[in-house]
């Protein structure tokens, strides 16, 4: 295991009907004048909007609204939020949504604290590893499980002018609280449920595929949590309103990305980097893009650490092929994974998502822009490797 | 799963040689005049004392020392610490030790903030569930893995006048940081290593044995972590200075008790309660007491939820007996667990620890004093049940 520092201070409030008490959690976190951020109309249709607003009023919390967050959240809206925070003297930002909404709020929070003369995009998102200033607190009412942003230090924003999608991981990004009621998932379309499950599984795989030795404990935790996602995702896709399915997936998605499972391990993240270029350009859902890029990535890199893939496919995907025939076991394992993606209704090839190879050169270039020299941890991927993987995904 | 709230803000700094930077962590947490608390001479012999003191001096941190913490930490020393904190205007307490030292520091921290007219023992430890005041921060340099107190909200103290041992779990008990270097374990006697492993395993079993349904995810996490402890404990006992063994156990012990694994689950804790009475009276090591009480508890309660025990013995202890013959599987499983305790050198009967039945009535009475009506979660245990379990442990 590598040396590590771990801290995750977000308070999780999890269970049936906890959203009704949102106002209390906001108040306890010091929120009196808040910015409430959300996406489009879905929270108005499914009643979450009303529940939250009622609870805020009961607790005498004043709120300003900022709506219109879309998947692959945009820098434009972040800048609009920063303006509102300054104008209205906001002291807490409440995200009511999924990963895109939460990431928008995280960016607004630290963006409001960026010193004069610095630019949130050029001086932070495009600079690898730069610490961010501590902004006002962010609270979350989670409406879509997937991203894990509700308990993570990461924040991914897309600049639609430059078509760059970039993430920042920093301790100041943790929400102060996250209110998580699995019942909010009942109304999610099957495709969105599936994309969420693909994303949470990927957050675990990105941590699992490592060359670090002495990682038995986090291996066990990751393997167990991945088995739960693999087991419950198809159930939730076919039976959307069973609480028992939703709670397992919602808790798994939160744990997948708070980095406990990644402690002391070299992590990979190549599939995420390669996917980010897809969804920045095509507005394909992130989880669908991962279902395409991950198997392609596996085909290209498995020889770098065959034993890790053997362990993954036998312990997590239930392969029973002889471990002596590694090549066959890996081939079969990747097919098992692809079959699972298909089972929950996701594409596993770019062609199935109507994406052709015309932008691969551009993707590879963007993927390695902003001071990045290579993608991935298990195998370092340079321009030609990245192009090869995109081609395998066709 | 039950509704739950989870928050664990302790910063973990884990790995080789991290103790050398203790002064920096103390300073970052606001410590300038600190109380450094430790046990007897072991940290002076193994060099940890010197490393910490040098690091504190390098960071210009002034420190007052309080030593003499013993296993089953005493209220007397807590009171002495509270006096020192007030006299010397201490702003951080640094525990250099294991569970006993950390718990002493937690009690000193909140005890220093108890309002005038209230008594730390009578008004807090002996009152079930009473919130505690927020005291000055506690930092930790961990020297013995086991208790998990370095990342937990719990604090167990013994009053040697009344011979009561009592625990308080409260959010204000979390250390602000814990410095964890597995190398400190190299010098631990085998018996102490074994007791630590027994304690960490118990922290997981107390959470595992539940009647709550819909707990697949935390089941998987617990089972994986328990397998790691069962696998590495005998190795570390026979080969004390292998880093790879120590790091797995040390990380497992920290995770065992930060309550992530207990989220949304009814927990048990009867074995701990029953053991506390033993070690309050006899000064037997807590981990040894658990090795005795846990199998006895299992023999008495398993019929309350046979399926849970079948799952435990098959998935965690590797039983391959037919699950149709539950009685036999459980019997065999308990023997497997006992054999593991024996393998690492622990007693599994009171008689092996030279404890007879003469105090059982007193234990049962004390176990249910202070407003407690019953022990345990999986099966509620009243006076006669408790007596029966003590007898099974003879």
């Amino acid at each position: 295991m590598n040396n590590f520092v771990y801290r995750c201070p977000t308070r999780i409030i999890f269970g049936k009907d906890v959203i009704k008490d949102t106002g209390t959690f906001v108040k306890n976190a010091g929120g009196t004048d808040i910015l409430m951020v959300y996406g489009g109309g879905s929270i108005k249709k499914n009643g979450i909007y009303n529940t939250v607003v009622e609870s805020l009023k009961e607790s005498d919390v004043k709120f300003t609204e900022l709506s219109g967050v879309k998947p692959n959240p945009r820098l434009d809206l972040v800048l609009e939020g920063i303006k509102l925070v300054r104008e209205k003297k906001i002291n807490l930002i409440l995200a009511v949504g999924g990963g895109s909404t939460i990431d928008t709020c995280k960016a607004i929070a630290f963006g409001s604290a960026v010193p004069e003369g610095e630019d949130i995009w050029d001086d932070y998102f495009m600079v690898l590893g730069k610490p961010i200033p501590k902004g006002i607190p962010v609270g979350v009412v989670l409406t879509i499980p997937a991203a894990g942003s509700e308990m993570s230090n990461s924040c991914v924003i897309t600049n639609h002018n430059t078509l760059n999608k970039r993430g920042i991981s920093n301790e100041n990004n943790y929400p102060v609280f996250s209110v998580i009621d699995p019942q909010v998932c009942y109304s999610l379309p099957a495709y969105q449920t599936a994309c969420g499950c693909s994303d949470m599984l990927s957050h675990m795989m990105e941590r699992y595929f490592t060359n670090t030795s002495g990682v038995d404990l986090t291996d066990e935790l990751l393997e167990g949590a991945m088995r739960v996602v693999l087991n419950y995702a198809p159930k939730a896709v076919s039976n959307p309103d069973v609480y028992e399915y939703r709670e397992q997936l919602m808790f798994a998605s939160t744990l997948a990305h708070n980095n406990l499972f990644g402690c002391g391990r070299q992590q990979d993240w190549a599939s995420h980097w390669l996917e980010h270029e897809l969804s920045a350009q095509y507005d394909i859902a992130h989880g669908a893009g991962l279902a395409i890029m991950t198997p392609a990535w596996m085909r290209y890199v498995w020889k770098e650490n065959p034993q890790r893939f053997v362990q993954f496919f036998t312990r997590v995907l239930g392969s029973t092929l002889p471990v002596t025939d590694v090549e066959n076991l890996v081939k079969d394992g990747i097919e098992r994974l692809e079959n699972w993606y298909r089972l929950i209704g996701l594409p596993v090839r770019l062609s199935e998502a109507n994406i052709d190879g015309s932008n691969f050169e551009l993707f590879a270039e963007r993927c390695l822009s902003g001071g990045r020299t290579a993608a991935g941890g298990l195998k370092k991927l340079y321009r030609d490797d990245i192009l090869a993987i995109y081609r395998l995904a066709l």
Side-chain angles (χ1 to χ4, degrees), chain A:
Chain A
M1 208 162 28
N2 302 329
N3 284 14
F4 67 84
V5 175
Y6 176 73
R7 177 171 175 263
C8 179
T10 304
R11 183 187 307 273
I12 297 297
I13 303 122
F14 189 102
K16 272 186 190 159
D17 299 326
V18 286
I19 296 178
K20 288 179 184 163
D21 298 319
T22 302
T24 308
F25 308 131
V26 167
K27 205 95 194 230
N28 288 347
T32 52
D33 292 82
I34 74 167
L35 183 68
M36 176 175 161
V37 182
Y38 54 96
S42 68
I43 64 164
K44 293 199 172 166
K45 275 181 225 147
N46 61 21
I48 296 174
Y49 177 86
N50 282 341
T51 308
V52 171
V53 163
E54 244 170 68
S55 172
L56 291 175
K57 285 181 181 164
E58 262 171 38
S59 295
D60 291 321
V61 174
K62 279 183 245 166
F63 59 95
T64 302
E65 297 184 38
L66 175 66
S67 65
V69 180
K70 297 205 175 93
N72 305 315
R74 291 157 178 261
L75 180 62
D76 306 355
L77 201 72
V78 171
L79 299 176
E80 210 179 315
I82 293 173
K83 226 177 120 197
L84 279 173
V85 165
R86 287 177 179 158
E87 276 173 21
K88 306 262 180 179
K89 301 201 173 13
I90 297 294
N91 57 17
L92 186 143
I93 306 176
L94 183 66
V96 185
S100 300
T101 304
I102 302 168
D103 285 6
T104 300
C105 292
K106 288 175 175 178
I108 295 172
F110 90 74
S112 310
V114 160
E116 249 192 69
E118 284 193 336
D119 181 81
I120 182 176
W121 189 259
D122 293 336
D123 297 319
Y124 289 90
F125 278 98
M126 292 304 287
V127 180
L128 214 62
K130 177 160 174 186
I132 60 170
K134 192 172 173 60
I136 52 174
V138 171
V140 173
V141 175
L142 190 65
T143 62
I144 309 169
S149 188
E150 68 276 10
M151 203 184 185
S152 89
N153 67 354
S154 79
C155 161
V156 180
I157 296 292
T158 299
N159 183 337
H160 281 75
N161 297 323
T162 63
L163 285 179
N164 266 127
K165 188 170 183 174
R166 279 290 182 275
I168 287 184
S169 295
N170 185 278
E171 188 168 83
N172 289 333
N173 268 333
Y174 285 107
V176 288
F177 67 82
S178 288
V179 180
I180 306 178
D181 180 349
Q183 296 173 111
V184 300
C185 305
Y186 293 171
S187 59
L188 289 182
Y191 187 72
Q192 220 169 333
T193 296
C195 286
C197 292
S198 164
D199 196 12
M200 63 184 90
L201 181 69
S202 176
H203 288 155
M204 301 197 234
M205 290 191 290
E206 299 284 18
R207 292 177 168 92
Y208 188 78
F209 288 103
T210 183
N211 295 320
T212 311
S213 63
V215 290
D216 277 15
L217 178 56
T218 41
D219 269 3
E220 283 271 16
L221 302 182
L222 281 162
E223 288 161 2
M226 287 192 284
R227 284 190 294 263
V228 167
V229 175
L230 290 169
N231 178 25
Y232 282 100
K235 293 181 181 171
V237 165
S238 0
N239 298 285
D241 53 2
V242 178
Y243 187 82
E244 287 65 30
Y245 304 161
R246 295 297 190 174
E247 66 176 350
Q248 296 303 309
L249 291 167
M250 204 138 185
F251 193 23
S253 76
T254 297
L255 295 188
H257 207 30
N258 78 4
N259 208 32
L260 180 73
F261 296 164
C263 281
R265 305 168 70 99
Q266 172 210 49
Q267 302 183 17
D268 195 81
W269 297 99
S271 301
H272 259 73
W273 284 29
L274 270 67
E275 193 296 310
H276 280 170
E277 300 311 322
L278 287 188
S279 52
Q281 175 83 12
Y282 288 99
D283 249 358
I284 179 179
H286 176 52
L290 288 167
I292 296 168
M293 295 315 303
T294 308
W297 170 84
M298 286 181 169
R299 282 198 180 85
Y300 190 78
V301 307
W302 73 267
K303 282 185 182 156
E304 197 71 16
N305 190 339
Q307 269 324 106
R308 186 120 292 262
F309 283 85
V310 168
Q311 185 177 319
F312 176 72
F313 290 125
T314 49
R315 292 198 198 170
V316 182
L317 278 147
S319 173
T320 51
L321 292 180
V323 294
T324 42
D325 187 358
V326 177
E327 185 137 11
N328 207 27
L329 193 153
V330 169
K331 190 170 164 283
D332 168 77
I334 295 174
E335 278 165 20
R336 282 170 182 260
L337 180 62
E338 286 180 335
N339 288 339
W340 179 82
Y341 284 129
R342 285 203 179 96
L343 178 65
I344 60 172
L346 296 182
V348 295
R349 291 288 183 279
L350 287 171
S351 48
E352 296 170 26
N354 300 316
I355 297 175
D356 64 17
S358 54
N359 284 308
F360 286 174
E361 297 273 348
L362 182 69
F363 290 172
E365 192 190 308
R366 281 196 182 135
C367 195
L368 294 180
S369 66
R372 295 167 161 185
T373 55
L378 185 103
K379 180 178 169 71
K380 276 203 181 307
L381 304 172
Y382 300 94
R383 189 177 163 283
D384 288 350
D385 304 304
I386 291 169
L387 283 171
I389 294 173
Y390 279 126
R391 275 184 219 115
L392 280 172
L394 266 173

